[in-house]
Amino acid sequence: MERTLLEEVSQFLFLENELLDSHQFEEWLGLFAVDGLYWMPLHHDQADPYEEFSLIHENCALLRMRLDRMQHPTAHGMEIPIWTSRVMSNIRITHATENIVEATARFCLVEAENDRQRLFAGRYHFTLERGESFKIKRKRVDLVNCDAPFASIQILI
């Protein structure tokens, strides 16, 4: 049975979440295109990561450094394992061409470290490159409370 584009994109996004939740960070980074970007705006409706500050705006080289730091045995703030569980829904294809698929999804993420828990929620915006498999060209994470004060965000959302 042939899957629809929405089913293929959904399965890819579910895989991305599973890799993050199971700490398979190398495999997760492998989902990105060479020129892929990970962006978490600082405020609602932020249009450009280059003209304004962002919570996170990283290319693959910076993501590699973040992962190396997160996995280092003496990384500050990472002595106790941080566990996450993501739930994603309302996946929609917003635009598709032969080479690019744009999709959005809603998410809730629980972060747990010892007896402390935090909740993150919002909307993902993905730009995916089509090929033998999808590659993430851009992942934008719009947090519901992006303009609130945060303690350090140690995880990838």
Side-chain angles (χ1 to χ4, degrees):
M1 176 186 270
E2 204 168 305
R3 292 197 288 182
T4 67
L5 180 59
L6 179 59
E7 289 171 322
E8 290 177 12
V9 167
S10 297
Q11 289 303 309
F12 179 79
L13 299 183
F14 293 147
L15 170 65
E16 192 236 0
N17 278 343
E18 182 60 32
L19 292 175
L20 287 170
D21 284 345
S22 62
H23 296 181
Q24 296 180 61
F25 300 121
E26 298 302 319
E27 292 84 352
W28 174 79
L29 189 57
L31 298 179
F32 277 78
V34 174
D35 60 346
L37 291 171
Y38 179 92
W39 179 33
M40 193 180 308
L42 182 60
H43 60 82
H44 297 283
D45 301 321
Q46 185 173 340
D48 189 338
Y50 299 100
E51 297 294 323
E52 303 176 65
F53 291 108
S54 298
L55 292 169
I56 299 172
H57 183 239
E58 297 178 350
N59 62 20
C60 286
L62 290 172
L63 286 172
R64 158 63 43 221
M65 291 190 324
R66 176 184 290 273
L67 294 178
D68 288 346
R69 180 186 54 79
M70 284 172 55
Q71 297 176 89
H72 195 277
T74 61
H76 177 70
M78 300 296 284
E79 299 88 10
I80 299 167
I82 297 173
W83 298 101
T84 58
S85 181
R86 293 163 173 79
V87 176
M88 186 176 11
S89 68
N90 300 9
I91 300 170
R92 292 182 48 238
I93 305 294
T94 57
H95 182 75
T97 67
E98 186 177 326
N99 300 320
I100 297 290
V101 176
E102 294 181 14
T104 61
R106 296 291 181 169
F107 72 91
C108 286
L109 181 156
V110 175
E111 171 194 73
E113 180 182 24
N114 274 343
D115 61 348
R116 179 189 63 83
Q117 288 190 3
R118 288 199 295 183
L119 177 67
F120 296 94
R123 176 187 239 172
Y124 293 131
H125 300 262
F126 286 93
T127 302
L128 304 174
E129 185 176 73
R130 291 172 101 168
E132 287 184 31
S133 63
F134 292 113
K135 291 290 185 178
I136 301 169
K137 294 281 286 176
R138 183 168 109 163
K139 179 180 181 180
R140 175 180 170 146
V141 180
D142 286 315
L143 294 174
V144 169
N145 60 338
C146 61
D147 48 2
F150 282 102
S152 176
I153 298 175
Q154 300 280 31
I155 60 167
L156 295 156
I157 294 177

